[in-house]
Amino acid sequence: MDAMKIEQTEETNLLTEIAVAYYQDGATQEEISKRFGLTRVKVGRLLKRARDIGIVEITVKYHPVFSAKLEEKLKETFGLKRALIALDQPSEEEQRTLIASVVSTYLSSSLNDNMVISVGQGRNVSAVSEHIGIVTPKECTFVASIGGIHPRGGMLNADHISRQFAKTFGGVSETLYAPAYISDPDLRNTLMNDITVRQTMDIARKADVALVGIGDLAENSYMVNQGWFSVQEMVEARIQQGVVGEVGGYDFFDIKGEVQDTKMSNRVVGLTIADYQKIPEVIAIAAENSKPLSILGALRTGAIDVLATSVANAITILNLEAQQ
């Protein structure tokens, strides 16, 4: 066996033993330092290392009564199946990581063998696929619901995310062999009718579950950064048509949840809101605290069945709904 692998195995074993002693058996760091012949400072560093590489996964839970009441209020108000609410975190990245953990746990318990899962693009969906945690293997098919992104899209590409989910759960993935964005609407429509693209899209449309992100129309949004749409097009859609967001990278809607025909329409190869409305369970993920209006509009489309977001976003959208 390679010396590096032996070293990594020994380190993992030590980290696991110390983590079990501290988190499960309740031993103090002083007791652990004596048992393993280490300094307390070293023990503290090893416990941090165990958390960093995923041996230890800490989930902070707020009061169960508050959690249950908040979820029930969201379910009652918007007709949701579930609301997966994570505690507010000091940074956007920490918020995304915690929400990803909550969604990953939910998928592990709710997915069944032979299910088809339609997978969207973006940072929030990607974070779920990259989450390090214990999941129950599922023989599922994960299929990209939107075409491929320029190489700089990397880990945010729906195809990459689908492959990562398949690797995590032990399932298989289906690639959508088409670019996500096409500047010419006529060319885009022609490609949508290609038999290979159509077959994959049909698999995605008939999925049992869909995972999507909720996007806003900020000037630094994902689609602007990718070069799909200009800042001017985003601003015009917001001002002239009241567009507040999009679901899955496709279809722009206003605060009432009504799809608007904008200059940006018909340029993306992917599922539409109408497609998502027919999928039995659509899980929408929004970690950013800048998205309450986008979340509210998305919920009003009737396409969302499970919402995963922060406490702050959940409370804000409930207050916004109550004021209208």
Side-chain angles (χ1 to χ4, degrees), residues 151-170:
R152 69 182 180 183
M155 293 172 61
L156 309 185
N157 193 317
D159 182 56
H160 170 86
I161 299 171
S162 295
R163 293 174 186 274
Q164 185 61 36
F165 270 121
K167 178 181 178 182
T168 299
F169 284 94

Side-chain angles (χ1 to χ4, degrees), residues 111-117 138-142 166 170-173:
L111 295 184
N112 296 315
D113 289 342
N114 302 316
M115 276 188 168
V116 175
I117 297 87
K138 308 286 184 180
E139 295 182 3
C140 294
T141 297
F142 297 88
V172 297
S173 65

Side-chain angles (χ1 to χ4, degrees), residues 119-126 145-149 156-158 161 180 211-213 222-223 228 246 248-250 268:
V119 178
Q121 64 179 5
R123 289 169 291 189
N124 290 320
V125 181
S126 177
S145 63
I146 188 169
I149 309 171
L156 309 185
N157 193 317
I161 299 171
L211 282 166
V212 297
Y222 175 71
M223 291 183 292
W228 294 6
E246 49 82 15
Y250 194 109
V268 174

Side-chain angles (χ1 to χ4, degrees), residues 302-316:
I304 310 303
D305 303 289
V306 177
L307 173 66
T309 193
S310 65
V311 169
N313 278 341
I315 292 174
T316 300

